[in-house]
Amino acid sequence: GALAPILAGVLLVLRGWPALRAYWFMLLFIAYLVPLPGIFVDSVTGPLKQYVSAIAEQLLYSAGYPIARSGVVITIGQYQMLVADACSGLNSMFSLSAIGLLYLYLMRYRSWLHIGLIVASLLPIAFCANILRVMFLVLITYHFGDAAGQGFLHGFSGMILFVIALALLLFFDAI
Protein backbone atom coordinates (compact mmCIF):
# COMPACT_ATOMS: atom_id res chain seq x y z
CA GLY A 1 0.00 0.00 0.00
CA ALA A 2 2.94 2.32 0.50
CA LEU A 3 4.28 1.84 -3.03
CA ALA A 4 2.29 4.66 -4.66
CA PRO A 5 3.13 7.32 -2.03
CA ILE A 6 6.81 6.31 -2.08
CA LEU A 7 6.95 6.52 -5.88
CA ALA A 8 5.13 9.86 -5.77
CA GLY A 9 7.67 11.17 -3.27
CA VAL A 10 10.63 9.94 -5.32
CA LEU A 11 9.16 11.49 -8.47
CA LEU A 12 8.56 14.75 -6.65
CA VAL A 13 12.10 14.89 -5.25
CA LEU A 14 13.89 13.83 -8.44
CA ARG A 15 11.77 15.45 -11.15
CA GLY A 16 9.41 17.90 -9.44
CA TRP A 17 5.71 18.65 -9.86
CA PRO A 18 5.68 18.31 -13.68
CA ALA A 19 6.74 14.64 -13.42
CA LEU A 20 4.16 14.00 -10.71
CA ARG A 21 1.44 15.49 -12.94
CA ALA A 22 2.70 13.46 -15.91
CA TYR A 23 2.58 10.15 -14.01
CA TRP A 24 -0.62 10.68 -12.00
CA PHE A 25 -2.43 7.80 -13.70
CA MET A 26 0.41 5.35 -13.12
CA LEU A 27 0.40 6.24 -9.43
CA LEU A 28 -3.38 5.85 -9.25
CA PHE A 29 -3.26 2.56 -11.15
CA ILE A 30 -0.74 1.12 -8.66
CA ALA A 31 -3.62 1.06 -6.16
CA TYR A 32 -4.89 -2.04 -8.00
CA LEU A 33 -1.77 -3.89 -6.81
CA VAL A 34 -2.89 -3.53 -3.20
CA PRO A 35 -5.05 -6.51 -2.14
CA LEU A 36 -8.49 -5.71 -0.82
CA PRO A 37 -8.79 -6.04 2.97
CA GLY A 38 -10.22 -9.38 4.07
CA ILE A 39 -13.00 -7.80 6.12
CA PHE A 40 -14.17 -5.88 3.03
CA VAL A 41 -14.00 -8.98 0.83
CA ASP A 42 -15.98 -11.02 3.37
CA SER A 43 -18.66 -8.36 3.81
CA VAL A 44 -19.18 -7.88 0.05
CA THR A 45 -18.82 -11.47 -1.14
CA GLY A 46 -21.78 -12.88 0.82
CA PRO A 47 -24.46 -10.54 -0.56
CA LEU A 48 -22.99 -10.74 -4.08
CA LYS A 49 -23.23 -14.56 -4.00
CA GLN A 50 -26.85 -14.28 -2.84
CA TYR A 51 -27.80 -11.87 -5.64
CA VAL A 52 -25.96 -13.79 -8.36
CA SER A 53 -27.49 -17.13 -7.39
CA ALA A 54 -30.99 -15.64 -6.97
CA ILE A 55 -30.96 -13.89 -10.35
CA ALA A 56 -29.47 -16.90 -12.15
CA GLU A 57 -32.08 -19.14 -10.58
CA GLN A 58 -34.96 -16.84 -11.54
CA LEU A 59 -33.78 -16.48 -15.13
CA LEU A 60 -33.30 -20.22 -15.59
CA TYR A 61 -36.62 -20.99 -13.88
CA SER A 62 -38.43 -18.58 -16.20
CA ALA A 63 -36.72 -20.35 -19.13
CA GLY A 64 -38.35 -23.61 -17.99
CA TYR A 65 -35.48 -25.38 -16.26
CA PRO A 66 -36.17 -27.50 -13.14
CA ILE A 67 -34.15 -25.33 -10.77
CA ALA A 68 -34.38 -24.39 -7.12
CA ARG A 69 -32.16 -22.49 -4.73
CA SER A 70 -31.45 -22.56 -1.03
CA GLY A 71 -29.19 -19.67 -0.08
CA VAL A 72 -26.24 -19.98 -2.45
CA VAL A 73 -26.82 -23.67 -3.29
CA ILE A 74 -28.47 -24.14 -6.67
CA THR A 75 -30.22 -27.44 -7.41
CA ILE A 76 -30.92 -28.24 -11.03
CA GLY A 77 -32.10 -31.70 -11.96
CA GLN A 78 -30.02 -34.17 -9.98
CA TYR A 79 -27.14 -31.75 -9.37
CA GLN A 80 -26.44 -29.40 -6.49
CA MET A 81 -23.97 -26.59 -7.02
CA LEU A 82 -22.54 -24.12 -4.53
CA VAL A 83 -21.96 -20.57 -5.69
CA ALA A 84 -18.56 -20.15 -4.07
CA ASP A 85 -16.81 -16.95 -3.00
CA ALA A 86 -14.87 -16.90 -6.27
CA CYS A 87 -18.18 -16.90 -8.17
CA SER A 88 -19.49 -13.84 -6.36
CA GLY A 89 -18.12 -11.55 -9.05
CA LEU A 90 -15.93 -9.41 -6.81
CA ASN A 91 -12.74 -10.39 -8.63
CA SER A 92 -14.29 -9.68 -12.02
CA MET A 93 -15.56 -6.32 -10.77
CA PHE A 94 -12.09 -5.42 -9.55
CA SER A 95 -10.43 -6.58 -12.78
CA LEU A 96 -12.95 -4.93 -15.08
CA SER A 97 -12.71 -1.66 -13.20
CA ALA A 98 -8.92 -1.70 -13.67
CA ILE A 99 -9.23 -2.47 -17.39
CA GLY A 100 -12.03 0.06 -17.77
CA LEU A 101 -10.02 2.84 -16.16
CA LEU A 102 -7.03 1.97 -18.33
CA TYR A 103 -9.30 2.05 -21.38
CA LEU A 104 -10.64 5.47 -20.44
CA TYR A 105 -7.14 6.78 -19.86
CA LEU A 106 -5.93 5.52 -23.23
CA MET A 107 -8.99 6.85 -25.09
CA ARG A 108 -8.45 10.35 -23.61
CA TYR A 109 -12.12 11.29 -23.53
CA ARG A 110 -12.74 14.93 -22.62
CA SER A 111 -16.39 14.73 -21.63
CA TRP A 112 -16.78 14.21 -17.89
CA LEU A 113 -20.30 12.91 -18.48
CA HIS A 114 -19.01 10.25 -20.86
CA ILE A 115 -16.26 9.25 -18.42
CA GLY A 116 -18.69 9.20 -15.50
CA LEU A 117 -21.20 7.02 -17.36
CA ILE A 118 -18.52 4.50 -18.33
CA VAL A 119 -17.12 4.37 -14.79
CA ALA A 120 -20.63 3.95 -13.39
CA SER A 121 -21.29 1.10 -15.82
CA LEU A 122 -18.21 -0.96 -14.92
CA LEU A 123 -19.59 -2.69 -11.82
CA PRO A 124 -23.05 -3.48 -13.25
CA ILE A 125 -21.45 -4.87 -16.42
CA ALA A 126 -19.16 -7.13 -14.38
CA PHE A 127 -22.10 -8.22 -12.22
CA CYS A 128 -24.25 -9.10 -15.26
CA ALA A 129 -21.38 -10.96 -16.92
CA ASN A 130 -20.90 -12.95 -13.72
CA ILE A 131 -24.58 -13.91 -13.70
CA LEU A 132 -24.13 -15.17 -17.26
CA ARG A 133 -21.11 -17.21 -16.13
CA VAL A 134 -23.05 -18.86 -13.31
CA MET A 135 -25.94 -19.61 -15.66
CA PHE A 136 -23.49 -21.04 -18.22
CA LEU A 137 -21.95 -23.35 -15.60
CA VAL A 138 -25.36 -24.43 -14.31
CA LEU A 139 -26.50 -25.27 -17.84
CA ILE A 140 -23.26 -27.09 -18.67
CA THR A 141 -23.63 -29.17 -15.52
CA TYR A 142 -27.31 -29.87 -16.21
CA HIS A 143 -26.83 -30.92 -19.83
CA PHE A 144 -23.38 -32.55 -19.74
CA GLY A 145 -22.85 -33.64 -16.15
CA ASP A 146 -20.84 -32.67 -13.13
CA ALA A 147 -17.45 -33.49 -14.67
CA ALA A 148 -18.05 -31.06 -17.55
CA GLY A 149 -19.17 -28.28 -15.22
CA GLN A 150 -16.17 -28.66 -12.92
CA GLY A 151 -13.52 -29.37 -15.54
CA PHE A 152 -12.03 -27.32 -18.32
CA LEU A 153 -15.26 -25.44 -18.99
CA HIS A 154 -15.28 -24.07 -15.45
CA GLY A 155 -11.97 -22.28 -15.98
CA PHE A 156 -12.79 -21.41 -19.57
CA SER A 157 -16.01 -19.74 -18.45
CA GLY A 158 -13.92 -17.21 -16.52
CA MET A 159 -12.24 -16.16 -19.75
CA ILE A 160 -15.61 -16.03 -21.50
CA LEU A 161 -16.92 -13.89 -18.64
CA PHE A 162 -14.16 -11.36 -19.14
CA VAL A 163 -14.62 -11.27 -22.93
CA ILE A 164 -18.36 -10.71 -22.46
CA ALA A 165 -17.71 -7.95 -19.92
CA LEU A 166 -15.22 -6.21 -22.22
CA ALA A 167 -17.61 -6.51 -25.16
CA LEU A 168 -20.41 -4.99 -23.06
CA LEU A 169 -18.09 -2.17 -22.00
CA LEU A 170 -17.14 -1.40 -25.60
CA PHE A 171 -20.80 -1.63 -26.67
CA PHE A 172 -21.85 0.76 -23.91
CA ASP A 173 -19.04 3.12 -24.89
CA ALA A 174 -20.18 3.05 -28.51
CA ILE A 175 -23.72 3.97 -27.47
Side-chain angles (χ1 to χ4, degrees):
L3 184 60
I6 289 170
L7 285 175
V10 168
L11 267 175
L12 191 59
V13 168
L14 295 178
R15 302 287 180 174
W17 287 104
L20 194 59
R21 277 191 295 277
Y23 291 107
W24 70 270
F25 184 77
M26 177 207 53
L27 294 169
L28 176 72
F29 206 67
I30 287 174
Y32 281 96
L33 294 174
V34 180
L36 295 172
I39 194 163
F40 173 77
V41 171
D42 292 342
S43 65
V44 171
T45 305
L48 279 174
K49 288 191 311 187
Q50 289 286 340
Y51 294 136
V52 165
S53 57
I55 293 170
E57 180 235 350
Q58 287 299 315
L59 289 172
L60 290 173
Y61 180 77
S62 63
Y65 283 95
I67 190 168
R69 179 182 60 86
S70 175
V72 294
V73 176
I74 295 176
T75 305
I76 185 162
Q78 63 188 9
Y79 302 104
Q80 279 191 342
M81 296 178 298
L82 172 70
V83 178
D85 288 349
C87 294
S88 69
L90 185 62
N91 292 332
S92 60
M93 289 178 178
F94 195 70
S95 301
L96 187 66
S97 67
I99 297 295
L101 290 177
L102 180 63
Y103 171 75
L104 286 172
Y105 177 74
L106 294 175
M107 294 302 290
R108 305 264 186 210
Y109 290 126
R110 298 289 179 223
S111 168
W112 286 103
L113 177 63
H114 189 123
I115 292 169
L117 288 173
I118 299 248
V119 168
S121 73
L122 291 173
L123 297 183
I125 285 172
F127 182 74
C128 291
N130 198 57
I131 291 169
L132 291 175
R133 178 184 186 210
V134 169
M135 289 173 51
F136 174 75
L137 289 173
V138 167
L139 291 175
I140 290 294
T141 302
Y142 179 68
H143 290 290
F144 301 108
D146 191 41
Q150 299 302 318
F152 169 76
L153 292 175
H154 191 269
F156 186 67
S157 68
M159 290 183 272
I160 297 286
L161 158 86
F162 212 74
V163 169
I164 289 171
L166 285 175
L168 287 172
L169 175 66
L170 295 174
F171 176 73
F172 185 72
D173 182 36
I175 291 176

